[in-house]
Each structure stands twice: as C-alpha cells, then as structure tokens.
C-alpha cells in the first residue's frame, strides 16, 4: 500500500519537476495550473504522511529506524508547499525553477523512503 | 493560491521597470537567488537532521563523520540566513562561507577517498557529495558566482 503510494508520488513529483522546468525554459512564472499541480502533489504527500503514521501505529516497522522514516515523511510533505510559497513571492522564471528543484528533491526523498520502509510491499 | 479575477491576471506578471534597484538591499534572495535559498535550505535541513540523529543515536560509530556533518549544517544554515537577509554585510559573510564550504567539500572529499578508514559512516561531503548527486560541490560554486554578480548590481 505505502509502496504503491511512494512510487506514485515519485512519478508525479518528476512530472511536476519537468512541467515547472519547462516553464523555466520558456521564461514563465508559475501559473494557476502549476499551483493546482503542486496542490495535487502536496495532497498525495499528506496522504502518505497519514498512511505512514497509521502503519506505524498498527505496529508495522520500517527496515531502518522509525525516527528516520518519520523525518522523511514530514520532509516530503513539506518540500513542495514551501517551494509553492516561494514561487508566489518570485513571479519570474526563477519561481518556476524553485518549484522544479523542490519536486526533484521530493522524488529523491521518495526513493529514500522506499528503501527506508523496506520495499517489501507491506 | 492566486485565484484573482481572470481579466487582471496579466497585470501582476508585468515587471515594473521604473523601480530603482537601490530600493531593495542587494536582493540576494531574489531571482536566481531564490533557487539558491531553497537548495541551501534543503541542505541545511538534510545535514542538520542527519547529524542530530547520528550524534544522538550512534555517536560512537563514526564521531568524526558526524561532527563534520554538524559543522556543514551550521555553514549551510548561515548561508541560507545570509541570502534571505541580504545586504552587503550578509553578502560578504555568505561569500566567505561559500568559499569555506567549497574548501570543506574538496578537503573531505579527498580525505574520504584517501583514507576511508577514518570515516566508517558517510557525511554530506563524502566522496565530493556523491550520495547527494554531487550537489554539495556544485552548490558553493554557484553560490560564489551569484554572490560575486550581486556585488556588481
């Protein structure tokens, strides 16, 4: 369950990164549609955070330590919304670049989360 | 979320050319600097949380590596704050820190390759930041270029 969500989040994060990277290339700031995309990714991140905590509460344990698992869950929940606010303040192509970078960071966090949880299809 | 009236949506995208640059102090955290703020912020959180966890949970395994991670976290945090604050003093301080950061990456990177036994566990700067997509070595170079450019504006 959580593995499928991790993969889905990784893929959507990369999609968001290329979308905003394209906006950077075209010298455009983030538009409403980009913010809807960021909202979707953020929502997935929050769902992942809740499911992760529920799994822990049900007694399942990640391969690595619980503290690291929770830290990565929180980090992946925060990365895109923080970048979204930064791009609101930066109405240039660099606002788009910031969101693209945060989305790449999120994708990397998801790869790590997959390893931390164990990737055994729990 | 920018849910303003559709007719006026182009107005806020237009730049104001008449705005004098001197009104805002240096603008270190604006334009491309905004991207640097994010990356330095990410690395501050990454290095800090990593070193705090390791210093608390497993200090005796590789104390040198963990202390170096903590030092790098402080350097990253200082540069992030300097970029956000802006101004000439912050620019100079951030410049010095970026140089120190570059020196640190090169030193630790070489050290980890030359004497791996000194580092039983990874740091952010091990192998020139390979575990972090080599961003640790590109970041200070980009930072130095950006801070140099900011002085001329």
């Amino acid at each position: 369950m959580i593995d499928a969500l991790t993969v889905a989040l990784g893929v959507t994060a990369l999609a968001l990164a290329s979308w905003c990277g394209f906006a950077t290339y075209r010298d455009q700031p983030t538009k409403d549609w980009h913010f809807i995309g960021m909202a979707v990714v953020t929502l997935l991140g929050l769902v992942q955070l809740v499911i992760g905590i529920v799994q822990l509460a049900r007694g399942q344990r990640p391969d690595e330590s619980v503290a690291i698992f929770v830290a990565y869950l929180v980090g992946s929940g925060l990365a895109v919304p923080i970048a979204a606010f930064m791009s609101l303040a930066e109405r240039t192509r660099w606002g788009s670049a910031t969101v693209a970078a945060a989305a790449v960071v999120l994708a990397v966090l998801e790869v790590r989360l997959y390893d931390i949880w164990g990737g055994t299809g729990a | 979320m920018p849910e303003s009236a559709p007719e006026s949506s182009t107005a806020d995208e237009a730049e104001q050319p008449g705005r004098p640059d001197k009104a805002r102090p240096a603008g270190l955290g604006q334009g491309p600097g905004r991207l640097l703020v994010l990356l330095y912020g990410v690395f501050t959180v990454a290095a800090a949380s990593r070193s705090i966890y390791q210093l608390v949970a497993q200090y005796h395994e590789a104390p040198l590596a963990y202390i170096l991670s903590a030092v790098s976290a402080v350097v990253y945090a200082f540069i992030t704050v300097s970029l956000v604050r802006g101004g000439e003093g912050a620019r100079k301080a951030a410049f010095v820190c970026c140089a120190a950061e570059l020196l640190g990456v090169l030193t630790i990177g070489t050290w980890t390759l030359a004497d791996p036994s000194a580092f039983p566990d990874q740091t952010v700067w091990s192998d020139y930041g390979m575990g972090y997509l080599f961003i640790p070595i590109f970041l200070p170079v980009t930072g130095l270029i950006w801070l140099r450019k900011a002085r001329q504006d």
Side-chain angles (χ1 to χ4, degrees):
Chain A
M1 173 64 198
I2 196 166
D3 281 345
L5 194 56
T6 305
V7 172
L9 200 46
V11 171
T12 44
L14 285 180
L16 180 68
S18 29
W19 192 15
C20 291
F22 184 60
T24 308
Y25 172 72
R26 293 184 56 191
D27 200 3
Q28 287 178 343
T30 44
K31 308 273 177 64
D32 285 2
W33 280 106
H34 293 110
F35 282 100
I36 292 170
M38 289 176 231
V40 170
V41 174
T42 303
L43 192 66
L44 279 175
L46 293 179
V47 169
Q48 188 187 39
L49 177 63
V50 171
I51 290 183
I53 289 170
V54 167
Q55 298 270 46
L56 288 177
R58 286 170 61 196
Q60 299 192 43
R61 286 291 170 266
D63 277 6
E64 295 174 37
S65 97
V66 173
I68 292 178
F69 180 65
V70 173
Y72 271 85
L73 277 181
V74 172
S76 51
L78 287 178
V80 167
I82 288 175
F85 280 110
M86 287 175 79
S87 84
L88 269 184
E90 180 69 43
R91 304 310 295 149
T92 67
R93 71 190 305 183
W94 296 106
S96 307
T98 304
V99 176
V104 171
V105 168
L106 175 58
V108 172
L109 288 177
E110 293 306 315
V111 173
R112 280 288 295 136
L113 263 177
Y114 191 85
D115 290 340
I116 292 167
W117 184 255
T120 47
Chain B
M1 295 294 126
E3 289 290 334
S4 57
E7 280 83 7
S8 64
S9 62
T10 48
D12 52 338
E13 279 162 27
E15 293 202 315
Q16 275 129 21
R19 201 170 182 185
D21 266 337
K22 285 181 181 172
R24 38 187 178 170
L28 289 180
Q30 282 160 1
R34 194 87 60 173
L35 181 59
L36 279 180
V37 170
L38 178 89
L39 288 175
Y40 270 108
V42 166
F43 271 85
T44 304
V45 173
S49 50
R50 177 188 188 128
S51 62
I52 289 169
Y53 173 76
Q54 288 175 327
L55 285 172
V56 171
Q58 49 198 46
Y59 175 73
H60 295 290
E61 281 177 33
L64 179 62
Y66 301 154
I67 288 168
L68 279 172
S69 282
V71 170
S72 65
V74 172
V75 175
Y76 284 130
F78 187 84
I79 297 172
T80 311
V81 172
S82 301
L83 285 173
V84 172
R85 275 190 58 210
E88 183 60 15
R91 193 193 66 81
K92 278 181 183 151
F95 195 85
V96 171
C97 278
C98 276
E101 183 197 343
L102 182 60
L103 195 69
V105 180
L106 292 175
T107 310
I108 306 301
T110 311
W111 193 358
T112 46
L113 289 180
D115 184 16
S117 62
F119 293 90
D121 202 349
Q122 291 261 307
T123 75
V124 180
W125 290 345
S126 291
D127 304 334
Y128 304 111
M130 193 166 73
Y132 292 83
L133 306 173
F134 290 108
I135 292 173
I137 199 162
F138 289 117
L139 206 48
V141 175
T142 318
L144 286 171
I145 293 170
W146 170 244
L147 290 168
R148 223 178 98 92
K149 199 174 154 290
R151 184 182 52 184
Q152 290 153 4
D153 288 351

